[in-house]
Every structure is written in structure tokens, then in C-alpha cells.
Amino acid sequence: MSSQATDDRTRGYDVIVVGAGIVGAACARALAQTGRTVAIVDRADAVSGTSSHGEGNLLVSDKGPGPELVLAQHARRRWATLSAELRDESGPDFPGIEFEAKGGVVVATTAAGADPLKTFAASQRDAGVVAREISTAEALDLEPALNPAITAAIHYPEDAQVQPVIAAEAMLRSARSAGAVMRMRTTVTGGIVRAGTLTGIHTDHGDLHGDVIVNAAGPWAAGLSTALGARIDVRPRRGMVLVTTRMPHRVFHKVYDGDYFGATQSADAALQTSSVIESTQGGTVLIGSSREQVGFDDHLRVEVLRELAGKAMRVFPFLANASIMRTYGGFRPYVPDHLPVIGPDPRMPGLWHATGHEGAGIGLSVSTADIITALIDGHPTPVDATPFRVDRAAVLGEEAA
């Protein structure tokens, strides 16, 4: 046994974060910067799960009035400064996180979809979102390649984007600079419970002891929480994305059709698709979005890709001539009431959760970390954390019945 492994077994950490995706990275960074000793554990490599299969969305446009929108508004304000913080902390040799306050344009492509889109935008304006109804001519000024046959358009200047893998890696680098240690390719096999309190984890590389264990395992959070003695109902919801070859920029905002919000809020396990299109700084175009509950089945499904491509061409006809370079899929952490799970587990003292963000985890990661840190410190949270509590029926599942 190595001296490092022996050290891990004999000493404890203030916090053990399980999950090295962007939510776990954000939590580890925030907690390490308070002076706490932090260990980050993941069964695979860092940022190799859900965070590596997303588009990097920082959106307010897809959230209706309510707690998730409030969380997203706080997160959007934080990302504006976080990008500069990470640049300073990472140094000139580390790539930028590609934070881009590009804004979003949401369109309706059918007559039936126009009024619902306008009504939804009006409700968001009442909640403080900048949602500007624009004419077709104004939409074409913003996006000249847009289908001129659209029936309604809303401009959301607050929407933004980052490169999610680089952003998560930058947060992990920041956490390590503050003293955090990483234990990758380390599988949690159970919890160490003493007098009814979780005081550490058993892993396939030995035991780790900690005062606080944060479950940031994304779509795998249900399995981890079960192993730690307090299951939460987080399910994998699969999504797929098409990636074009590089081309001159012809998509300048986050652009999607109004069906996207309905797909995100649907509880249907069957396939839901809508057109979501945006360019990257590298010149590729990302085309989504699909949602379906198929467990952890990662087989390629051509019918899903066909639907994505067909709907995207209705928004941007020029994509009919685009070449697809690759496609990828991933699993979002889905909770039936569509709200993340953030905070302590009252059934198992010592266990905390930071998961369940579904497709919004990239954007909401920083606010989740702020809430977790404030709660552990005993300080007021930046937004009301009550709606995200663990002991709600949608999270406890059958146990709450």
C-alpha cells in the first residue's frame, strides 16, 4: 500500500465530494477556498460523464417563473465574474472556458406555436427576465440564415454559453490550487456509518473518512445514495447531439424552437425532441436536443438523430447542406418534479446532495456550490434553498409514499 493510501486511511477530510463533473468541481472549489480539506472522488476520469456530453448552456430562456429560474438568474450573474476568476486562477497557459454572452433567440415555426411562446415570454418578463418580443425582420437581423417563415420570435440577451469540459477542468484546477486532492478511478462501495452518522466511504482503493460527504454523481446519484444508505430518486434521461464539421459562422446566438421548454418539463419517458442550434468558437454547429428515459442504454438510435436533423433544418434551412462530423449522447440527472436536489439528507447525517439538475447542470453548478457552501457554513443562502431540499416527495420516491 502506498504512503498516500495509508495517509488517506488514517486521516480524515472536512469534505469528500463524490463526482468530478462540473457540479462536483464547483462544490469542491467553493469548499476548498474556505480553507477546508477536500477530496474529490470519481469512479472514472475527471469530467468524463454528463459534463463532457453537454452543450455548455447558461440559460434563463428555457425556465418558467419559479425556483429554478431564480437559481438560474443567480447563476447567470455569477458566471459573468466566474470566468474572470478562473482565468486569473488558472494562469495564461490554461485554455479559456469560452464564456460567451451571446444571447438567445427562441422562435415558433408553426402558427399554433406563436401565442404560447409569447405568453411564456410575458410570464418570464414578470419574473425579471429580459425577454424581448421581436419581429421576423428583427430576428433576421440577429440571425440572417434563419427561416423567414417563422411565426414568432423572442430575444433573450441574458443567455450565454461556456465550453463545459474546460470550465469543469478549470474549477478542478482551482480546487487543487486551494489544497483539494483528487482520487480518480476510485469506486465507492459503501458508507462508513458510526452512531447513525455517515463519517466516510468505503472504496475499491481503501477507506476515506470525512465530516461531510457530497453526492455530486449526476445521473448515477441514485446508485451512490443507495450505497451510502439513503436513496434519492434521480434517474438517467438520455440526450443526443449532432456536431457539424467546421464552417464559417452562420449561427450567432443560442437558437431553438419553442417546443424546447415543453420537452424539458415533460414527465413522459418516451422520446421528446426539439431543435436547439448554436455555434461553437471552434466553428462547429451543435444540434440538439433529445430527451428519453431508457435507463443507461447508450446504443446509437438513428431515428433520434433523424428527428434532430429534420427539426433543425426547419429553423436553419442551410443546415440541409451541412456535413455531420460526429454525434454523441449522454445522461442527464432527472428528478420527477424538475428541480435539483441541493442540501443535507435528514435521513443520514453527514450526507449531502448536489444533483438532479437534468440539462441545466452546467449553468447551475456555480449556484449549487454557493448554496452547499453557505448551508455547511451555517450562513444565509444566496437564494431560497427550500424548494431544492432532499426531503420532498419527488426525491424520496417510493419511500415518501
Side-chain angles (χ1 to χ4, degrees):
M1 181 179 293
S2 69
S3 60
Q4 180 64 64
T6 302
D7 182 59
D8 280 342
R9 295 189 64 161
T10 56
R11 76 164 183 157
Y13 292 92
D14 294 323
V15 182
I16 300 172
V17 178
V18 184
I22 196 165
V23 173
C27 290
R29 173 182 181 267
L31 291 163
Q33 288 183 337
T34 68
R36 290 178 170 86
T37 56
V38 176
I40 309 162
V41 177
D42 198 291
R43 66 179 184 176
D45 293 318
V47 204
S48 61
T50 299
S51 298
S52 65
H53 296 93
E55 298 172 73
N57 296 327
L58 314 178
L59 304 183
V60 295
S61 60
D62 64 338
K63 297 168 182 66
E68 188 184 29
L69 176 57
V70 173
L71 192 63
Q73 290 170 312
H74 174 267
R76 178 60 183 84
R77 292 190 294 270
R78 287 282 283 112
W79 275 103
T81 57
L82 178 63
S83 59
E85 292 172 8
L86 291 174
R87 182 176 61 248
D88 292 342
E89 293 166 10
S90 299
D93 296 331
F94 195 84
I97 68 170
E98 299 181 16
F99 173 74
E100 189 175 1
K102 60 171 60 177
V105 176
V106 184
V107 301
T109 57
T110 64
D115 285 343
L117 177 59
K118 295 176 183 179
T119 299
F120 180 64
S123 72
Q124 292 176 300
R125 284 194 291 272
D126 290 341
V129 175
V130 181
R132 188 169 64 94
E133 188 174 329
I134 58 177
S135 66
T136 299
E138 290 174 308
L140 290 171
D141 283 340
L142 293 173
E143 291 289 345
L146 195 64
N147 187 344
I150 61 170
T151 58
I154 310 294
H155 179 217
Y156 289 92
E158 295 170 296
D159 281 355
Q161 183 182 15
V162 295
Q163 210 297 329
V165 175
I166 300 175
E169 289 282 10
M171 290 182 184
L172 290 172
R173 183 186 181 104
S174 175
R176 292 196 302 272
S177 295
V181 298
M182 296 182 63
R183 298 286 175 264
M184 300 299 97
R185 302 188 184 185
T186 299
T187 300
V188 177
T189 58
I192 302 171
V193 180
R194 294 175 179 164
T197 296
L198 185 66
T199 62
I201 54 175
H202 298 297
T203 82
D204 58 353
H205 286 79
D207 293 348
L208 296 175
H209 301 278
D211 299 327
V212 170
I213 315 298
V214 178
N215 174 7
W220 297 273
L224 175 63
S225 62
T226 299
L228 298 180
R231 183 183 184 277
I232 57 175
D233 188 10
V234 177
R235 310 169 192 175
R237 200 178 192 194
R238 193 183 187 209
M240 299 189 72
V241 174
L242 292 166
V243 185
T244 71
T245 54
R246 295 178 64 182
M247 64 178 73
H249 272 66
R250 297 185 67 181
V251 182
F252 302 99
H253 301 76
K254 172 84 176 183
V255 182
Y256 60 90
D257 69 49
D259 293 339
Y260 180 70
F261 175 74
T264 64
Q265 298 302 302
S266 172
D268 196 336
L271 177 65
Q272 309 279 318
T273 61
S274 59
S275 57
V276 181
I277 306 109
E278 63 192 319
S279 294
T280 68
Q281 290 188 10
T284 61
V285 176
L286 306 180
I287 300 171
S289 156
S290 69
R291 281 169 163 77
E292 57 184 334
Q293 293 185 47
V294 291
F296 286 105
D297 182 355
D298 62 356
H299 287 87
L300 178 69
R301 295 187 59 197
V302 176
E303 64 271 24
V304 177
L305 304 180
R306 185 181 298 116
E307 280 199 28
L308 295 180
K311 290 188 174 183
M313 288 186 290
R314 290 205 293 270
V315 177
F316 285 108
F318 82 88
L319 289 171
N321 298 317
S323 297
I324 299 300
M325 176 173 63
R326 66 187 180 97
T327 182
Y328 61 85
F331 300 100
R332 306 176 181 93
Y334 167 84
V335 178
D337 65 0
H338 304 285
L339 291 176
V341 188
I342 309 171
D345 196 316
R347 301 165 298 172
M348 179 64 71
L351 176 60
W352 292 62
H353 302 283
T355 184
H357 304 80
E358 200 177 336
I362 304 299
L364 300 183
S365 59
V366 60
S367 291
T368 299
D370 288 349
I371 290 174
I372 288 287
T373 303
L375 289 173
I376 291 175
D377 283 341
H379 294 161
T381 54
V383 301
D384 181 12
T386 305
F388 315 118
R389 68 188 188 278
V390 178
D391 59 343
R392 61 187 203 263
V395 177
L396 300 184
E398 293 179 0
E399 181 179 315

